[in-house]
Amino acid sequence: MRKNTPIALLAVGHACVDVYQGAVAALVPYFIAERSYSLAVASGIVLAASLLSSVAQPVFGALTDRWAMPWLLPVSTLLGGVGIALSGLSGSYPLTLVFVALSGVGVAAYHPESARVARIVSRGSHRAMGWFSTGGTIGFALAPLMVAAGMSGGGLRRTPLFVLPALAGAAMCLPVVRVLQERRAAADPRLTLPPGRDDIPSFVRLSVAVVFRSIAFIGLSTFISLYVRQRLDGGMAVGTAALFVLYLGSTVGSVLGGSLASRWDRVVVARWSYLVTAAAIAGVLWVPGPAVFLFVALTSAGLYVPFSLQVTLGQDYLPSRVGTAGGITLGLTVSIGDLAGPAIGALADATSLRTALAPLVLMPLLGWLLFRSLPEPRVDGPASTAPGADAGSPAKTR
């Protein structure tokens, strides 16, 4: 297998998994339209998709620190797809919550192990990890289009069609699993990365910053469709376009983040991106007219520039527990952000969507404050194997 093929396959598989995270928010307007749910009740569906995830991801991460489980990649991908496929078949709200929670468990099982595997096959390259993260953001971006196409002419009863990306994603994972098994059988040194000392205080501050970032993104992804429809007095297509722009901007941010980190410290890049994001969210809320789409794109790009960088920072702060670090930075902190969804929905029901979304401006500012005190992890050893160093470039030291 060629050098970059495993990362390419993992990126495509990541897209096939994260399409289900994006699908939950994209399905919210359809649940409201067909079942007359309130905003608070509908946002509970988004919460259900991540509630078990918030607990399960660190657990799966701890398990992958003890035992390599690459077989989790295809299995968890299928589980994520089956849950969403079943979510529209029952008119029962509790059953809908169960099905989306099932999908959330699949997503939870996928991310810690996939981050560990991606770190191994990329040999710690920021740029490669950026492409891996970009796969997930592309999945997010395609979710509203997939949902709109799947719902067309049939409504929620057509959700079984959404199992197809899971089948494709599982197929993408299998060649990578075989390569890892062959390398393990040959005792390939590329399966291990140099150990280091854990910096738990920095990891905790990083995790809190990721929570604030998650609150901003989850709040916008849950309600941006309805908000833009209200602002522009448009139909379902306008709302879908806004959600698509939000997700598409995230793909640009992920690629940009990996490239910027090859020139400057990850902490510096993340710090500036949070400042830009705060201004962009303010533009979404208060700049009138179609310009809202521009600020939606800037917001999502700003939130995703530090996304893959935060994953590798977490792994470098906890080099002895990279699975746990991945489970927390990719999973727990993101899922905790989902807890804000029902609160935002309840405030919107009582006031207005603009009032409910206004506090999101503060979230990236809080993340910026936390990043001001974070150090760039010291990475020793050759660039080709050092965690967090780009292959072919000198390892950053500080």
Side-chain angles (χ1 to χ4, degrees), residues 261-310:
S262 66
R263 300 187 62 183
W264 295 286
D265 286 348
R266 289 166 289 178
V267 171
V268 172
V269 172
R271 191 184 299 156
W272 280 102
S273 71
Y274 278 130
L275 282 179
V276 171
T277 301
I281 294 176
V284 169
L285 296 177
W286 291 294
V287 172
V292 67
F293 287 103
L294 172 62
F295 285 100
V296 168
L298 289 174
T299 296
S300 59
L303 287 171
Y304 268 86
V305 162
F307 185 68
S308 67
L309 309 184
Q310 290 167 161

mmCIF file of all heavy atoms in Angstrom, residues 261-310:
data_model
loop_
_atom_site.group_PDB
_atom_site.id
_atom_site.type_symbol
_atom_site.label_atom_id
_atom_site.label_comp_id
_atom_site.label_asym_id
_atom_site.label_seq_id
_atom_site.Cartn_x
_atom_site.Cartn_y
_atom_site.Cartn_z
ATOM 1 N N ALA A 261 -0.198 25.009 10.797
ATOM 2 C CA ALA A 261 0.575 24.415 11.889
ATOM 3 C C ALA A 261 1.941 23.927 11.429
ATOM 4 O O ALA A 261 2.824 23.688 12.259
ATOM 5 C CB ALA A 261 -0.204 23.264 12.515
ATOM 6 N N SER A 262 2.122 23.762 10.115
ATOM 7 C CA SER A 262 3.442 23.376 9.613
ATOM 8 C C SER A 262 4.390 24.575 9.564
ATOM 9 O O SER A 262 5.588 24.406 9.355
ATOM 10 C CB SER A 262 3.316 22.750 8.218
ATOM 11 O OG SER A 262 2.869 23.712 7.273
ATOM 12 N N ARG A 263 3.853 25.781 9.788
ATOM 13 C CA ARG A 263 4.676 26.999 9.764
ATOM 14 C C ARG A 263 4.758 27.665 11.133
ATOM 15 O O ARG A 263 5.771 28.275 11.468
ATOM 16 C CB ARG A 263 4.103 27.998 8.746
ATOM 17 C CG ARG A 263 4.048 27.473 7.326
ATOM 18 C CD ARG A 263 3.627 28.566 6.357
ATOM 19 N NE ARG A 263 4.582 29.670 6.345
ATOM 20 C CZ ARG A 263 4.424 30.776 5.627
ATOM 21 N NH1 ARG A 263 3.328 30.921 4.865
ATOM 22 N NH2 ARG A 263 5.327 31.736 5.656
ATOM 23 N N TRP A 264 3.689 27.616 11.913
ATOM 24 C CA TRP A 264 3.665 28.246 13.233
ATOM 25 C C TRP A 264 3.230 27.236 14.285
ATOM 26 O O TRP A 264 2.675 26.187 13.957
ATOM 27 C CB TRP A 264 2.707 29.444 13.245
ATOM 28 C CG TRP A 264 3.139 30.559 12.360
ATOM 29 C CD1 TRP A 264 4.163 31.443 12.580
ATOM 30 C CD2 TRP A 264 2.577 30.912 11.093
ATOM 31 N NE1 TRP A 264 4.262 32.326 11.525
ATOM 32 C CE2 TRP A 264 3.303 32.028 10.599
ATOM 33 C CE3 TRP A 264 1.532 30.420 10.324
ATOM 34 C CZ2 TRP A 264 3.016 32.643 9.383
ATOM 35 C CZ3 TRP A 264 1.244 31.009 9.111
ATOM 36 C CH2 TRP A 264 1.970 32.106 8.655
ATOM 37 N N ASP A 265 3.431 27.578 15.540
ATOM 38 C CA ASP A 265 2.988 26.717 16.628
ATOM 39 C C ASP A 265 1.474 26.508 16.567
ATOM 40 O O ASP A 265 0.715 27.426 16.252
ATOM 41 C CB ASP A 265 3.347 27.338 17.987
ATOM 42 C CG ASP A 265 4.828 27.227 18.294
ATOM 43 O OD1 ASP A 265 5.517 26.484 17.573
ATOM 44 O OD2 ASP A 265 5.283 27.877 19.256
ATOM 45 N N ARG A 266 1.062 25.302 16.933
ATOM 46 C CA ARG A 266 -0.376 25.000 16.944
ATOM 47 C C ARG A 266 -1.146 25.905 17.899
ATOM 48 O O ARG A 266 -2.262 26.330 17.608
ATOM 49 C CB ARG A 266 -0.579 23.532 17.355
ATOM 50 C CG ARG A 266 -0.145 22.538 16.307
ATOM 51 C CD ARG A 266 -0.049 21.140 16.888
ATOM 52 N NE ARG A 266 1.080 21.021 17.801
ATOM 53 C CZ ARG A 266 1.389 19.920 18.479
ATOM 54 N NH1 ARG A 266 0.627 18.836 18.364
ATOM 55 N NH2 ARG A 266 2.438 19.880 19.267
ATOM 56 N N VAL A 267 -0.552 26.206 19.042
ATOM 57 C CA VAL A 267 -1.230 27.051 20.035
ATOM 58 C C VAL A 267 -1.474 28.441 19.471
ATOM 59 O O VAL A 267 -2.551 29.022 19.650
ATOM 60 C CB VAL A 267 -0.396 27.121 21.330
ATOM 61 C CG1 VAL A 267 -0.978 28.160 22.289
ATOM 62 C CG2 VAL A 267 -0.356 25.746 22.010
ATOM 63 N N VAL A 268 -0.487 28.997 18.780
ATOM 64 C CA VAL A 268 -0.631 30.334 18.202
ATOM 65 C C VAL A 268 -1.719 30.339 17.130
ATOM 66 O O VAL A 268 -2.568 31.243 17.083
ATOM 67 C CB VAL A 268 0.712 30.801 17.601
ATOM 68 C CG1 VAL A 268 0.535 32.098 16.821
ATOM 69 C CG2 VAL A 268 1.750 30.986 18.701
ATOM 70 N N VAL A 269 -1.721 29.334 16.277
ATOM 71 C CA VAL A 269 -2.729 29.241 15.218
ATOM 72 C C VAL A 269 -4.123 29.143 15.819
ATOM 73 O O VAL A 269 -5.062 29.842 15.389
ATOM 74 C CB VAL A 269 -2.446 28.028 14.313
ATOM 75 C CG1 VAL A 269 -3.591 27.813 13.324
ATOM 76 C CG2 VAL A 269 -1.131 28.218 13.555
ATOM 77 N N ALA A 270 -4.293 28.294 16.830
ATOM 78 C CA ALA A 270 -5.604 28.129 17.457
ATOM 79 C C ALA A 270 -6.051 29.416 18.144
ATOM 80 O O ALA A 270 -7.223 29.805 18.070
ATOM 81 C CB ALA A 270 -5.555 26.978 18.465
ATOM 82 N N ARG A 271 -5.110 30.091 18.781
ATOM 83 C CA ARG A 271 -5.447 31.316 19.516
ATOM 84 C C ARG A 271 -6.022 32.380 18.572
ATOM 85 O O ARG A 271 -7.080 32.974 18.852
ATOM 86 C CB ARG A 271 -4.171 31.826 20.206
ATOM 87 C CG ARG A 271 -4.401 32.929 21.219
ATOM 88 C CD ARG A 271 -3.052 33.391 21.747
ATOM 89 N NE ARG A 271 -2.333 32.306 22.412
ATOM 90 C CZ ARG A 271 -1.020 32.277 22.554
ATOM 91 N NH1 ARG A 271 -0.263 33.238 22.048
ATOM 92 N NH2 ARG A 271 -0.448 31.278 23.186
ATOM 93 N N TRP A 272 -5.367 32.604 17.448
ATOM 94 C CA TRP A 272 -5.844 33.611 16.502
ATOM 95 C C TRP A 272 -7.148 33.194 15.842
ATOM 96 O O TRP A 272 -8.016 34.036 15.566
ATOM 97 C CB TRP A 272 -4.776 33.889 15.447
ATOM 98 C CG TRP A 272 -3.711 34.822 15.943
ATOM 99 C CD1 TRP A 272 -2.462 34.510 16.376
ATOM 100 C CD2 TRP A 272 -3.838 36.240 16.105
ATOM 101 N NE1 TRP A 272 -1.788 35.631 16.775
ATOM 102 C CE2 TRP A 272 -2.605 36.712 16.619
ATOM 103 C CE3 TRP A 272 -4.866 37.158 15.856
ATOM 104 C CZ2 TRP A 272 -2.381 38.063 16.897
ATOM 105 C CZ3 TRP A 272 -4.639 38.498 16.130
ATOM 106 C CH2 TRP A 272 -3.414 38.940 16.639
ATOM 107 N N SER A 273 -7.316 31.900 15.603
ATOM 108 C CA SER A 273 -8.549 31.451 14.962
ATOM 109 C C SER A 273 -9.753 31.700 15.852
ATOM 110 O O SER A 273 -10.849 32.015 15.364
ATOM 111 C CB SER A 273 -8.448 29.958 14.609
ATOM 112 O OG SER A 273 -8.496 29.148 15.762
ATOM 113 N N TYR A 274 -9.571 31.575 17.163
ATOM 114 C CA TYR A 274 -10.685 31.828 18.075
ATOM 115 C C TYR A 274 -11.096 33.297 18.078
ATOM 116 O O TYR A 274 -12.293 33.618 18.174
ATOM 117 C CB TYR A 274 -10.320 31.380 19.490
ATOM 118 C CG TYR A 274 -10.506 29.893 19.714
ATOM 119 C CD1 TYR A 274 -9.500 29.118 20.266
ATOM 120 C CD2 TYR A 274 -11.695 29.267 19.370
ATOM 121 C CE1 TYR A 274 -9.665 27.757 20.472
ATOM 122 C CE2 TYR A 274 -11.875 27.910 19.569
ATOM 123 C CZ TYR A 274 -10.857 27.165 20.123
ATOM 124 O OH TYR A 274 -11.027 25.821 20.322
ATOM 125 N N LEU A 275 -10.123 34.200 17.972
ATOM 126 C CA LEU A 275 -10.472 35.618 17.909
ATOM 127 C C LEU A 275 -11.273 35.937 16.644
ATOM 128 O O LEU A 275 -12.268 36.674 16.680
ATOM 129 C CB LEU A 275 -9.194 36.467 17.955
ATOM 130 C CG LEU A 275 -8.535 36.660 19.319
ATOM 131 C CD1 LEU A 275 -7.273 37.503 19.172
ATOM 132 C CD2 LEU A 275 -9.502 37.310 20.303
ATOM 133 N N VAL A 276 -10.832 35.394 15.523
ATOM 134 C CA VAL A 276 -11.551 35.604 14.262
ATOM 135 C C VAL A 276 -12.965 35.037 14.354
ATOM 136 O O VAL A 276 -13.936 35.642 13.865
ATOM 137 C CB VAL A 276 -10.779 34.951 13.095
ATOM 138 C CG1 VAL A 276 -11.609 34.965 11.822
ATOM 139 C CG2 VAL A 276 -9.453 35.664 12.881
ATOM 140 N N THR A 277 -13.101 33.894 15.002
ATOM 141 C CA THR A 277 -14.403 33.241 15.104
ATOM 142 C C THR A 277 -15.388 34.076 15.904
ATOM 143 O O THR A 277 -16.577 34.160 15.560
ATOM 144 C CB THR A 277 -14.252 31.854 15.747
ATOM 145 O OG1 THR A 277 -13.372 31.062 14.953
ATOM 146 C CG2 THR A 277 -15.601 31.161 15.848
ATOM 147 N N ALA A 278 -14.933 34.687 16.981
ATOM 148 C CA ALA A 278 -15.834 35.521 17.797
ATOM 149 C C ALA A 278 -16.424 36.655 16.957
ATOM 150 O O ALA A 278 -17.630 36.926 17.023
ATOM 151 C CB ALA A 278 -15.070 36.088 18.999
ATOM 152 N N ALA A 279 -15.593 37.303 16.151
ATOM 153 C CA ALA A 279 -16.085 38.377 15.283
ATOM 154 C C ALA A 279 -17.039 37.830 14.222
ATOM 155 O O ALA A 279 -18.050 38.472 13.884
ATOM 156 C CB ALA A 279 -14.912 39.086 14.616
ATOM 157 N N ALA A 280 -16.751 36.642 13.711
ATOM 158 C CA ALA A 280 -17.599 36.060 12.667
ATOM 159 C C ALA A 280 -18.982 35.690 13.205
ATOM 160 O O ALA A 280 -19.998 35.904 12.526
ATOM 161 C CB ALA A 280 -16.920 34.826 12.071
ATOM 162 N N ILE A 281 -19.045 35.152 14.420
ATOM 163 C CA ILE A 281 -20.352 34.821 15.004
ATOM 164 C C ILE A 281 -21.170 36.088 15.210
ATOM 165 O O ILE A 281 -22.395 36.103 14.975
ATOM 166 C CB ILE A 281 -20.179 34.057 16.331
ATOM 167 C CG1 ILE A 281 -19.533 32.694 16.079
ATOM 168 C CG2 ILE A 281 -21.535 33.861 17.016
ATOM 169 C CD1 ILE A 281 -19.232 31.907 17.346
ATOM 170 N N ALA A 282 -20.518 37.157 15.642
ATOM 171 C CA ALA A 282 -21.225 38.435 15.777
ATOM 172 C C ALA A 282 -21.793 38.873 14.430
ATOM 173 O O ALA A 282 -22.914 39.395 14.349
ATOM 174 C CB ALA A 282 -20.273 39.500 16.330
ATOM 175 N N GLY A 283 -21.051 38.643 13.352
ATOM 176 C CA GLY A 283 -21.551 38.975 12.022
ATOM 177 C C GLY A 283 -22.757 38.143 11.641
ATOM 178 O O GLY A 283 -23.704 38.644 11.023
ATOM 179 N N VAL A 284 -22.758 36.864 11.987
ATOM 180 C CA VAL A 284 -23.906 35.999 11.709
ATOM 181 C C VAL A 284 -25.170 36.556 12.361
ATOM 182 O O VAL A 284 -26.259 36.558 11.768
ATOM 183 C CB VAL A 284 -23.640 34.567 12.215
ATOM 184 C CG1 VAL A 284 -24.915 33.722 12.169
ATOM 185 C CG2 VAL A 284 -22.548 33.900 11.385
ATOM 186 N N LEU A 285 -25.014 37.067 13.567
ATOM 187 C CA LEU A 285 -26.182 37.494 14.331
ATOM 188 C C LEU A 285 -26.661 38.897 13.973
ATOM 189 O O LEU A 285 -27.866 39.165 14.033
ATOM 190 C CB LEU A 285 -25.862 37.431 15.835
ATOM 191 C CG LEU A 285 -25.562 36.041 16.395
ATOM 192 C CD1 LEU A 285 -25.182 36.124 17.871
ATOM 193 C CD2 LEU A 285 -26.769 35.126 16.223
ATOM 194 N N TRP A 286 -25.744 39.799 13.593
ATOM 195 C CA TRP A 286 -26.145 41.195 13.496
ATOM 196 C C TRP A 286 -25.893 41.865 12.148
ATOM 197 O O TRP A 286 -26.365 42.987 11.936
ATOM 198 C CB TRP A 286 -25.473 42.001 14.612
ATOM 199 C CG TRP A 286 -26.034 41.633 15.964
ATOM 200 C CD1 TRP A 286 -27.309 41.856 16.404
ATOM 201 C CD2 TRP A 286 -25.358 40.961 17.024
ATOM 202 N NE1 TRP A 286 -27.475 41.364 17.675
ATOM 203 C CE2 TRP A 286 -26.284 40.807 18.087
ATOM 204 C CE3 TRP A 286 -24.063 40.474 17.184
ATOM 205 C CZ2 TRP A 286 -25.956 40.182 19.287
ATOM 206 C CZ3 TRP A 286 -23.736 39.848 18.379
ATOM 207 C CH2 TRP A 286 -24.674 39.715 19.415
ATOM 208 N N VAL A 287 -25.184 41.224 11.236
ATOM 209 C CA VAL A 287 -25.033 41.811 9.902
ATOM 210 C C VAL A 287 -26.261 41.425 9.068
ATOM 211 O O VAL A 287 -26.584 40.248 8.957
ATOM 212 C CB VAL A 287 -23.740 41.326 9.217
ATOM 213 C CG1 VAL A 287 -23.690 41.785 7.769
ATOM 214 C CG2 VAL A 287 -22.519 41.842 9.979
ATOM 215 N N PRO A 288 -26.960 42.378 8.475
ATOM 216 C CA PRO A 288 -28.219 42.067 7.782
ATOM 217 C C PRO A 288 -28.019 41.489 6.386
ATOM 218 O O PRO A 288 -26.944 41.603 5.790
ATOM 219 C CB PRO A 288 -28.909 43.435 7.698
ATOM 220 C CG PRO A 288 -27.768 44.410 7.640
ATOM 221 C CD PRO A 288 -26.684 43.831 8.504
ATOM 222 N N GLY A 289 -29.076 40.864 5.882
ATOM 223 C CA GLY A 289 -29.129 40.424 4.492
ATOM 224 C C GLY A 289 -28.383 39.138 4.208
ATOM 225 O O GLY A 289 -27.936 38.424 5.109
ATOM 226 N N PRO A 290 -28.203 38.830 2.914
ATOM 227 C CA PRO A 290 -27.539 37.588 2.494
ATOM 228 C C PRO A 290 -26.088 37.472 2.941
ATOM 229 O O PRO A 290 -25.500 36.393 2.838
ATOM 230 C CB PRO A 290 -27.626 37.647 0.961
ATOM 231 C CG PRO A 290 -28.773 38.555 0.667
ATOM 232 C CD PRO A 290 -28.752 39.576 1.760
ATOM 233 N N ALA A 291 -25.491 38.574 3.423
ATOM 234 C CA ALA A 291 -24.113 38.501 3.930
ATOM 235 C C ALA A 291 -23.985 37.507 5.071
ATOM 236 O O ALA A 291 -22.869 37.099 5.417
ATOM 237 C CB ALA A 291 -23.646 39.886 4.387
ATOM 238 N N VAL A 292 -25.122 37.093 5.635
ATOM 239 C CA VAL A 292 -25.082 36.111 6.712
ATOM 240 C C VAL A 292 -24.368 34.841 6.267
ATOM 241 O O VAL A 292 -23.670 34.194 7.049
ATOM 242 C CB VAL A 292 -26.509 35.806 7.220
ATOM 243 C CG1 VAL A 292 -27.337 35.084 6.164
ATOM 244 C CG2 VAL A 292 -26.459 34.956 8.489
ATOM 245 N N PHE A 293 -24.494 34.487 4.989
ATOM 246 C CA PHE A 293 -23.846 33.270 4.493
ATOM 247 C C PHE A 293 -22.326 33.383 4.567
ATOM 248 O O PHE A 293 -21.632 32.409 4.871
ATOM 249 C CB PHE A 293 -24.290 32.970 3.060
ATOM 250 C CG PHE A 293 -25.696 32.461 2.951
ATOM 251 C CD1 PHE A 293 -26.718 33.295 2.523
ATOM 252 C CD2 PHE A 293 -26.008 31.154 3.278
ATOM 253 C CE1 PHE A 293 -28.018 32.839 2.424
ATOM 254 C CE2 PHE A 293 -27.305 30.679 3.184
ATOM 255 C CZ PHE A 293 -28.316 31.524 2.757
ATOM 256 N N LEU A 294 -21.793 34.570 4.270
ATOM 257 C CA LEU A 294 -20.352 34.789 4.353
ATOM 258 C C LEU A 294 -19.865 34.598 5.783
ATOM 259 O O LEU A 294 -18.836 33.940 6.023
ATOM 260 C CB LEU A 294 -20.005 36.194 3.862
ATOM 261 C CG LEU A 294 -18.556 36.643 4.071
ATOM 262 C CD1 LEU A 294 -17.597 35.735 3.310
ATOM 263 C CD2 LEU A 294 -18.387 38.100 3.649
ATOM 264 N N PHE A 295 -20.596 35.168 6.734
ATOM 265 C CA PHE A 295 -20.167 35.061 8.127
ATOM 266 C C PHE A 295 -20.363 33.657 8.677
ATOM 267 O O PHE A 295 -19.617 33.224 9.564
ATOM 268 C CB PHE A 295 -20.906 36.104 8.978
ATOM 269 C CG PHE A 295 -20.391 37.500 8.770
ATOM 270 C CD1 PHE A 295 -21.076 38.379 7.946
ATOM 271 C CD2 PHE A 295 -19.217 37.920 9.374
ATOM 272 C CE1 PHE A 295 -20.598 39.667 7.735
ATOM 273 C CE2 PHE A 295 -18.734 39.200 9.169
ATOM 274 C CZ PHE A 295 -19.421 40.080 8.349
ATOM 275 N N VAL A 296 -21.351 32.933 8.156
ATOM 276 C CA VAL A 296 -21.493 31.525 8.535
ATOM 277 C C VAL A 296 -20.263 30.741 8.092
ATOM 278 O O VAL A 296 -19.715 29.919 8.840
ATOM 279 C CB VAL A 296 -22.774 30.922 7.922
ATOM 280 C CG1 VAL A 296 -22.781 29.394 8.065
ATOM 281 C CG2 VAL A 296 -24.012 31.492 8.597
ATOM 282 N N ALA A 297 -19.802 30.998 6.861
ATOM 283 C CA ALA A 297 -18.610 30.317 6.345
ATOM 284 C C ALA A 297 -17.366 30.680 7.161
ATOM 285 O O ALA A 297 -16.555 29.810 7.506
ATOM 286 C CB ALA A 297 -18.401 30.672 4.878
ATOM 287 N N LEU A 298 -17.195 31.962 7.491
ATOM 288 C CA LEU A 298 -16.048 32.387 8.288
ATOM 289 C C LEU A 298 -16.080 31.771 9.683
ATOM 290 O O LEU A 298 -15.043 31.381 10.233
ATOM 291 C CB LEU A 298 -16.025 33.917 8.393
ATOM 292 C CG LEU A 298 -15.657 34.688 7.126
ATOM 293 C CD1 LEU A 298 -15.819 36.190 7.351
ATOM 294 C CD2 LEU A 298 -14.227 34.362 6.699
ATOM 295 N N THR A 299 -17.283 31.681 10.247
ATOM 296 C CA THR A 299 -17.424 31.085 11.574
ATOM 297 C C THR A 299 -16.985 29.631 11.576
ATOM 298 O O THR A 299 -16.205 29.195 12.435
ATOM 299 C CB THR A 299 -18.882 31.187 12.056
ATOM 300 O OG1 THR A 299 -19.235 32.565 12.212
ATOM 301 C CG2 THR A 299 -19.060 30.479 13.391
ATOM 302 N N SER A 300 -17.487 28.858 10.615
ATOM 303 C CA SER A 300 -17.154 27.438 10.602
ATOM 304 C C SER A 300 -15.683 27.204 10.304
ATOM 305 O O SER A 300 -15.041 26.326 10.898
ATOM 306 C CB SER A 300 -18.027 26.694 9.590
ATOM 307 O OG SER A 300 -17.847 27.214 8.290
ATOM 308 N N ALA A 301 -15.117 28.009 9.390
ATOM 309 C CA ALA A 301 -13.680 27.877 9.113
ATOM 310 C C ALA A 301 -12.866 28.194 10.359
ATOM 311 O O ALA A 301 -11.912 27.479 10.707
ATOM 312 C CB ALA A 301 -13.279 28.796 7.959
ATOM 313 N N GLY A 302 -13.245 29.266 11.065
ATOM 314 C CA GLY A 302 -12.527 29.647 12.277
ATOM 315 C C GLY A 302 -12.616 28.605 13.374
ATOM 316 O O GLY A 302 -11.655 28.367 14.111
ATOM 317 N N LEU A 303 -13.768 27.956 13.489
ATOM 318 C CA LEU A 303 -13.926 26.931 14.513
ATOM 319 C C LEU A 303 -13.164 25.657 14.176
ATOM 320 O O LEU A 303 -12.796 24.887 15.067
ATOM 321 C CB LEU A 303 -15.410 26.602 14.699
ATOM 322 C CG LEU A 303 -16.261 27.653 15.410
ATOM 323 C CD1 LEU A 303 -17.741 27.304 15.325
ATOM 324 C CD2 LEU A 303 -15.834 27.784 16.872
ATOM 325 N N TYR A 304 -12.909 25.424 12.889
ATOM 326 C CA TYR A 304 -12.267 24.172 12.480
ATOM 327 C C TYR A 304 -10.783 24.304 12.168
ATOM 328 O O TYR A 304 -10.111 23.288 12.002
ATOM 329 C CB TYR A 304 -13.014 23.548 11.303
ATOM 330 C CG TYR A 304 -14.057 22.570 11.784
ATOM 331 C CD1 TYR A 304 -15.316 23.009 12.138
ATOM 332 C CD2 TYR A 304 -13.753 21.221 11.925
ATOM 333 C CE1 TYR A 304 -16.269 22.123 12.611
ATOM 334 C CE2 TYR A 304 -14.702 20.325 12.395
ATOM 335 C CZ TYR A 304 -15.948 20.780 12.737
ATOM 336 O OH TYR A 304 -16.882 19.901 13.233
ATOM 337 N N VAL A 305 -10.247 25.510 12.079
ATOM 338 C CA VAL A 305 -8.794 25.646 11.944
ATOM 339 C C VAL A 305 -8.084 24.927 13.099
ATOM 340 O O VAL A 305 -7.112 24.192 12.881
ATOM 341 C CB VAL A 305 -8.388 27.127 11.869
ATOM 342 C CG1 VAL A 305 -6.906 27.300 12.176
ATOM 343 C CG2 VAL A 305 -8.684 27.681 10.470
ATOM 344 N N PRO A 306 -8.532 25.089 14.351
ATOM 345 C CA PRO A 306 -7.814 24.409 15.440
ATOM 346 C C PRO A 306 -8.269 22.981 15.705
ATOM 347 O O PRO A 306 -7.754 22.336 16.620
ATOM 348 C CB PRO A 306 -8.138 25.294 16.650
ATOM 349 C CG PRO A 306 -9.489 25.837 16.368
ATOM 350 C CD PRO A 306 -9.560 26.011 14.869
ATOM 351 N N PHE A 307 -9.213 22.451 14.924
ATOM 352 C CA PHE A 307 -9.830 21.170 15.277
ATOM 353 C C PHE A 307 -8.814 20.024 15.313
ATOM 354 O O PHE A 307 -8.626 19.370 16.346
ATOM 355 C CB PHE A 307 -10.964 20.846 14.297
ATOM 356 C CG PHE A 307 -11.728 19.594 14.664
ATOM 357 C CD1 PHE A 307 -12.521 19.567 15.793
ATOM 358 C CD2 PHE A 307 -11.642 18.460 13.875
ATOM 359 C CE1 PHE A 307 -13.229 18.429 16.137
ATOM 360 C CE2 PHE A 307 -12.349 17.313 14.212
ATOM 361 C CZ PHE A 307 -13.140 17.293 15.341
ATOM 362 N N SER A 308 -8.135 19.764 14.197
ATOM 363 C CA SER A 308 -7.151 18.678 14.186
ATOM 364 C C SER A 308 -5.951 19.018 15.057
ATOM 365 O O SER A 308 -5.310 18.127 15.632
ATOM 366 C CB SER A 308 -6.702 18.374 12.755
ATOM 367 O OG SER A 308 -5.976 19.465 12.213
ATOM 368 N N LEU A 309 -5.641 20.315 15.186
ATOM 369 C CA LEU A 309 -4.512 20.730 16.016
ATOM 370 C C LEU A 309 -4.770 20.409 17.479
ATOM 371 O O LEU A 309 -3.854 20.025 18.218
ATOM 372 C CB LEU A 309 -4.249 22.230 15.845
ATOM 373 C CG LEU A 309 -4.133 22.741 14.409
ATOM 374 C CD1 LEU A 309 -3.780 24.218 14.411
ATOM 375 C CD2 LEU A 309 -3.094 21.937 13.638
ATOM 376 N N GLN A 310 -6.029 20.549 17.909
ATOM 377 C CA GLN A 310 -6.379 20.239 19.286
ATOM 378 C C GLN A 310 -6.270 18.748 19.558
ATOM 379 O O GLN A 310 -5.928 18.333 20.670
ATOM 380 C CB GLN A 310 -7.796 20.753 19.586
ATOM 381 C CG GLN A 310 -7.849 22.268 19.638
ATOM 382 C CD GLN A 310 -9.250 22.830 19.619
ATOM 383 O OE1 GLN A 310 -9.473 23.975 19.990
ATOM 384 N NE2 GLN A 310 -10.212 22.054 19.182
#
